[in-house]
Amino acid sequence: MGNEFDQLKKYIYSNTEMVVELEKLLCAIPALAPENKGDGEWEKCEALEKFLISKGIKNIQHYDAPDSRVSRGSRPNVVATIPGNKDDYAIWVMAHLDIVPAGELSLWNSNPFEAIVKEGKIFGRGVEDNQQGLCSGVLAAMSFAGQHILPEHTIKLLFMADEEVGSKYGMGYLVENHLDIFGKNDLILIPDGGDPLGQTIEVAEKNIMWLKFHTEGKQTHGSRPDEGINAHLASCELSLMIHNLGKKFNRKDKLFEPPVSTFEPTMKLTNVEGVNIIPGDDVIYFDCRILPCYKIDQVMVEVKKCMEKIQKKYGVKISVEFVQREESPATPVNAPVVLKLKEAIKNVHGIEGKTIGIGGGTVAAALRNKGINAAVWSTMDETAHQPNEYCIIENILKDASTIAYMCCDGK
């Protein structure tokens, strides 16, 4: 394996300029979801396809999700395949095409949609999230295809839509409509989260429960609370009760940071437009991150008990709805993809990989819910969604080498 991997790694490090070229190409095409006032990912996807074909990666299939909100009527999900010596399982590298908006432009030191290189870093919206992982996967695949080296196992690159606003037209669509493209023994790597050392391997996520509470009372003048029912007051007490559910669901799991379930009130909608008006209507939101040892249905039993107490105490009517609900099993720490990745990290990065859980959500959850193990890993400073987002060029090269190592036969 040594000579082959050295050849692959040499190819990767000799193509730094090509990586910069690809980052600049993709950064210049904002792929925004309709929710973010964009027209989807098609223009970016077509530019990427043209790039891949020019570099000899021509086996490309589409699994596009219908979406009447965008001009093309669908959202692109693309699989590029580099056939291997064995097809008993494939090694997948999955990245998303969409980005988030640039945000406040005055906070940027440069045009967010014109990637610039400075001191070994590439700056621009999307260059890290998720173009760094995309470029690492592409470069690893090209180290085989570009040198006509047959990988031991088939390599598949998935470029998906819609990750930033829920994955309904991306991974969610694929697992519900094209689950057969994934083999039960496939090794799936998602380079969309990590740490500056490239040490942590995400194998578990907290259950995500976003809730919207609508409290209805009776509006009245601020000087006559006795004639109304203060929906805001009831909503405030409900908020404290839901927040305190952390004391009931109090188990700890050191895999996660923080190691506990969290129940946080977040967004609140405007209720009245005057200080002297007692609101008869109030809407609040909660972002709850629940340890996998608890089921969301189990938590909701207690949530509804809180609602009933507040309704009885204040005479209000409270309704609740899910804004987002996601729960999934963990990838076992001894799953083949984790063990293979740990071996690669040790050989390329010179460190021991460490399995962790996170409070955030990734597309890995959708796969795990279908019984498909996946690992989330990358070497990054995690500047996603921030002004002056950047990626480190060396990280792209090192991660591409790690992926190439995984695609070699380690026996």
Side-chain angles (χ1 to χ4, degrees):
M1 176 179 175
N3 291 336
E4 182 180 272
F5 176 67
D6 289 343
Q7 186 178 345
L8 295 169
K9 185 176 179 181
K10 183 178 180 181
Y11 179 94
I12 288 168
Y13 275 82
S14 66
N15 278 281
T16 303
E17 289 303 316
M18 184 179 65
V19 167
V20 174
E21 173 193 347
L22 181 55
E23 280 275 26
K24 288 183 175 181
L25 172 69
L26 299 178
C27 183
I29 309 172
L32 295 166
E35 290 88 341
N36 289 322
K37 301 180 180 179
D39 194 37
E41 304 85 0
W42 269 108
E43 185 180 355
K44 184 174 181 177
C45 181
E46 289 175 338
L48 175 59
E49 283 189 66
K50 184 177 180 181
F51 178 90
L52 293 174
I53 292 170
S54 73
K55 303 300 182 182
I57 299 177
K58 301 178 180 180
N59 187 346
I60 297 173
Q61 293 84 36
H62 273 259
Y63 302 91
D64 304 327
D67 186 354
S68 60
R69 300 173 302 165
V70 298
S71 60
R72 292 285 290 269
S74 64
R75 309 284 288 280
N77 295 294
V78 179
V79 177
T81 301
I82 297 86
N85 183 45
K86 298 176 183 176
D87 205 27
D88 50 345
Y89 65 83
I91 298 176
W92 291 79
V93 184
M94 301 181 174
H96 61 87
L97 294 165
D98 60 320
I99 61 170
V100 296
E104 178 54 56
L105 294 179
S106 65
L107 298 177
W108 286 80
N109 297 329
S110 59
N111 182 346
F113 299 113
E114 183 180 339
I116 63 169
V117 180
K118 184 178 180 181
E119 298 177 348
K121 299 177 180 177
I122 305 174
F123 291 84
R125 176 55 84 225
V127 296
E128 184 186 74
D129 183 23
N130 188 213
Q131 288 164 203
Q132 176 182 322
L134 184 156
C135 289
S136 292
V138 168
L139 188 54
M142 286 177 51
S143 68
F144 289 92
Q147 300 182 98
H148 304 289
I149 296 175
L150 187 68
E152 189 62 20
H153 298 274
T154 295
I155 302 171
K156 288 183 177 287
L157 306 177
L158 171 60
F159 310 106
M160 72 194 94
D162 196 38
E163 189 272 348
E164 295 291 0
V165 290
S167 294
K168 177 180 178 181
Y169 302 93
M171 183 58 76
Y173 174 80
L174 292 172
V175 298
E176 293 302 327
N177 296 276
H178 299 285
L179 189 62
D180 58 344
I181 67 175
F182 307 114
K184 65 177 182 177
N185 296 319
D186 289 354
L187 307 187
I188 296 180
L189 174 64
I190 303 169
D192 194 20
D195 67 276
L197 295 178
Q199 181 179 32
T200 54
I201 303 168
E202 184 264 287
V203 296
E205 298 173 13
K206 290 182 180 179
N207 298 329
I208 298 177
M209 185 175 76
W210 290 0
L211 299 175
K212 174 185 177 182
F213 294 95
H214 182 192
T215 302
E216 299 175 79
K218 181 182 178 182
Q219 182 174 314
T220 188
H221 194 279
S223 66
R224 293 302 305 269
D226 56 307
E227 293 184 348
I229 301 175
N230 194 325
H232 181 47
L233 181 61
S235 186
C236 286
E237 187 164 341
L238 174 67
S239 182
L240 288 172
M241 290 183 71
I242 301 298
H243 177 68
N244 285 330
L245 286 179
K247 296 177 181 179
K248 182 175 184 63
F249 298 98
N250 58 4
R251 294 183 192 173
K252 294 184 178 181
D253 187 337
K254 293 182 179 179
L255 192 66
F256 296 91
E257 186 178 337
V260 295
S261 299
T262 57
F263 300 80
E264 292 300 313
T266 55
M267 187 167 63
K268 181 188 176 343
L269 301 189
T270 301
N271 47 27
V272 292
E273 296 181 354
V275 176
N276 62 342
I277 303 172
I278 287 177
D281 198 87
D282 204 65
V283 177
I284 61 171
Y285 290 78
F286 262 78
D287 182 339
C288 308
R289 309 288 171 136
I290 315 297
L291 289 176
C293 61
Y294 300 115
K295 296 294 184 182
I296 287 178
D297 286 343
Q298 178 185 3
V299 176
M300 283 304 296
V301 170
E302 297 303 318
V303 168
K304 290 180 179 179
K305 287 181 182 178
C306 294
M307 292 167 58
E308 290 168 2
K309 289 179 181 178
I310 296 300
Q311 288 179 126
K312 184 176 180 180
K313 179 176 180 178
Y314 289 94
V316 295
K317 177 183 176 182
I318 305 174
S319 61
V320 63
E321 63 180 88
F322 286 101
V323 178
Q324 184 172 345
R325 174 177 179 157
E326 189 73 59
E327 55 187 336
S328 66
T331 293
V333 295
N334 62 348
V337 64
V338 176
L339 298 180
K340 191 90 169 178
L341 180 55
K342 279 188 172 183
E343 179 188 349
I345 291 170
K346 185 173 183 179
N347 281 275
V348 177
H349 293 250
I351 58 177
E352 297 290 338
K354 175 186 176 183
T355 52
I356 64 165
I358 63 169
T362 72
V363 297
L367 290 161
R368 291 170 183 154
N369 276 328
K370 297 296 184 180
I372 301 171
N373 290 324
V376 180
W377 169 86
S378 191
T379 308
M380 58 171 58
D381 285 359
E382 293 204 317
T383 62
H385 299 203
Q386 299 176 26
N388 302 306
E389 176 183 350
Y390 68 82
C391 71
I392 298 173
I393 296 173
E394 173 66 21
N395 286 345
I396 299 177
L397 305 177
K398 188 178 289 186
D399 287 4
S401 301
T402 305
I403 295 167
Y405 188 98
M406 290 180 67
C407 298
C408 293
D409 186 3
K411 297 179 180 181

